[in-house]
């Protein structure tokens, strides 16, 4: 059985409905975060897609020391708590240090381990110990099958609800490429797989002091991942990506979200109507 529990009422995997992890890269203002969460929820409600709101209180891995990082943990968690209480959706955020995990888990439903930190044993064990669901971004430097060691660390720490996210692999300088074989390969580890369609088109450090991105390819990759039978689609979403303080070049504009998700759902429906041939 390939299933992970996000909340008592939201489980992903095992052929259940496709879920969305979505939201702005980083928490900006409190009002903006609430508006974004509400706007994304309205789209997901119309399409019948379960949603997990994502936004980072701190982006500790920005390219430049001068880049906007977000908010102190306490302030960020208060904003995420308001999203849970007032918008009524589960929330996800990153943890970068092992001593953050327990405090963050008091608010969020899913702890996310950033790709660059996916092998950090103490961080993984601290996240596992919270009892919350844990989403691990596969490192840009890892083969899909090497995620078995990440899973082993989480399981040894007591984690039962694990998500594994593909977000592209290093391909020369300032570029990522997606090897779609990695999605079924990671699913063989026994947990639901997530495809991050926006970070997969990121160009790390591609604008000198900040990362670039190729937003125009997000729909192509999202549709392709849907055809592979992913459990969750991850997309960073913003009302005005071109003026966002972080990851703007690869974020999905909110006003185009519904059309994109409709396309993804049509691909998924076609797959379910005619299951793929399994070659021996």
């Amino acid at each position: 059985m390939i299933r992970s529990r996000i909340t008592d009422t939201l489980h992903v995997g095992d052929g259940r409905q496709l879920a969305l992890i979505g939201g702005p890269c980083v928490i900006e203002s409190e009002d903006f975060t609430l508006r974004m969460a509400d706007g994304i929820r309205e789209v997901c409600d119309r399409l019948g897609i379960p949603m997990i709101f994502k936004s980072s209180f701190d982006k500790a891995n920005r390219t430049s020391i001068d880049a906007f990082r977000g908010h102190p943990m306490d302030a960020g968690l208060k904003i995420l708590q308001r999203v849970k209480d007032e918008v009524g959706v589960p929330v996800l955020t990153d943890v970068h240090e092992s001593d953050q995990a327990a405090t963050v888990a008091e608010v969020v439903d899913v702890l996310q381990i950033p790709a660059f930190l996916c092998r950090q044993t103490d961080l993984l064990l601290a996240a596992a110990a919270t009892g919350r669901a844990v989403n691990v971004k596969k490192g840009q430097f890892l083969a899909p099958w090497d995620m078995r060691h990440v899973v082993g660390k989480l399981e040894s720490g007591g984690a039962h609800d694990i998500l594994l996210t593909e977000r592209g692999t290093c391909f020369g300088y300032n570029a990522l490429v997606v090897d779609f074989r990695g999605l079924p390969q990671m699913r063989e580890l026994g947990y639901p797989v997530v495809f991050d369609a926006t970070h997969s088109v990121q160009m790390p450090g591609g604008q000198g002091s900040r990362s670039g991105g190729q937003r125009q390819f997000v729909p192509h990759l999202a549709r392709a991942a849907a055809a592979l039978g992913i459990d969750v689609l991850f997309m960073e979403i913003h009302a005005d990506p071109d003026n966002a303080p972080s990851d703007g070049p690869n974020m999905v504009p909110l006003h185009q979200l519904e059309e994109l998700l409709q396309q993804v759902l049509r691909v998924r429906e076609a797959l379910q109507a005619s299951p793929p041939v399994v070659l021996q």
Side-chain angles (χ1 to χ4, degrees), residues 24-105:
C25 174
V26 64
I27 293 174
E28 298 176 29
S29 71
E30 187 167 8
D31 287 345
F32 176 77
T33 302
L34 287 165
R35 289 199 309 272
M36 284 298 303
D38 196 52
I40 298 169
R41 181 192 58 79
E42 288 179 356
V43 170
C44 289
D45 283 352
R46 285 195 293 270
L47 298 178
I49 298 176
M51 168 197 166
I52 303 163
F53 180 76
K54 180 270 169 188
S55 200
S56 302
F57 62 84
D58 178 26
K59 299 297 293 184
N61 58 350
R62 296 303 307 276
T63 301
S64 169
I65 188 67
D66 297 317
F68 176 74
R69 286 182 54 169
H71 297 268
M73 183 169 64
D74 289 349
L77 290 178
K78 287 179 181 178
I79 294 172
L80 291 173
Q81 185 68 62
R82 283 196 66 189
V83 170
K84 286 186 68 170
D85 294 343
E86 298 178 28
V87 183
V89 294
V91 296
L92 172 154
T93 199
D94 299 293
V95 287
H96 295 89
E97 306 285 346
S98 55
D99 60 5
Q100 294 176 337
T103 301
V104 173

Side-chain angles (χ1 to χ4, degrees), residues 188 275-280:
E188 290 176 359
V277 175
V278 178
L279 299 181
Q280 302 297 327

Side-chain angles (χ1 to χ4, degrees), residues 264-275:
V264 169
L265 289 177
R266 285 197 290 270
V267 172
R268 186 175 172 86
E269 289 166 2
L271 177 66
Q272 292 172 335
S274 179

Side-chain angles (χ1 to χ4, degrees), residues 226-242:
L228 282 162
I230 55 171
D231 302 291
V232 183
L233 179 64
F234 182 116
M235 294 193 297
E236 288 189 332
I237 304 157
H238 198 281
D240 185 12
D242 290 336

Side-chain angles (χ1 to χ4, degrees), residues 154-185:
L154 289 170
E155 290 177 336
S156 71
H160 302 289
D161 301 307
I162 299 170
L163 304 174
L164 302 175
T165 297
E166 170 61 59
R167 57 136 306 154
T169 301
C170 291
F171 186 70
Y173 298 119
N174 305 125
L176 300 170
V177 67
V178 177
D179 180 354
F180 282 103
R181 295 176 299 177
L183 290 164
Q185 286 168 339

